[in-house]
Amino acid sequence: MRAYFDNGGVDAFRNTRSATKTITGMLIGLAIDKGFLSTVTTPVMRFFPDKRPLQNPDPRKEEITVEDFLR
């Protein structure tokens, strides 16, 4: 038998932001530990060369780091 903390049951939408931030932080820590990522200050745009040129360019987008996703 499944039990849920609310009355929404299996089909209800739930706010998972806190859990998602925790899991993202864990995965980033693993990526750094395994050498896939050097630091959280790494700009994220370097991981998406196939998205260039950007449809809506803005110099601030080049400054977005991995760490910004943990906030």
Side-chain angles (χ1 to χ4, degrees), residues 17-64:
R17 289 179 289 188
S18 292
T20 302
K21 277 179 80 169
T22 299
I23 292 167
T24 301
M26 290 169 51
L27 292 173
I28 289 171
L30 284 169
I32 291 172
D33 184 58
K34 299 293 183 186
F36 296 115
L37 185 64
S38 58
T39 177
V40 294
T41 59
T42 303
V44 295
M45 287 306 298
R46 73 171 48 174
F47 298 109
F48 303 100
D50 59 315
K51 301 300 180 194
R52 295 184 187 270
L54 296 176
Q55 185 175 7
N56 299 300
D58 183 325
R60 295 174 295 179
K61 292 179 181 178
E62 301 298 328
E63 298 174 12
I64 298 172

Side-chain angles (χ1 to χ4, degrees), residues 3-18:
Y4 295 89
F5 68 93
D6 58 16
N7 294 327
V10 69
D11 295 320
F13 289 105
R14 293 181 174 83
N15 183 343
T16 59
R17 289 179 289 188
S18 292

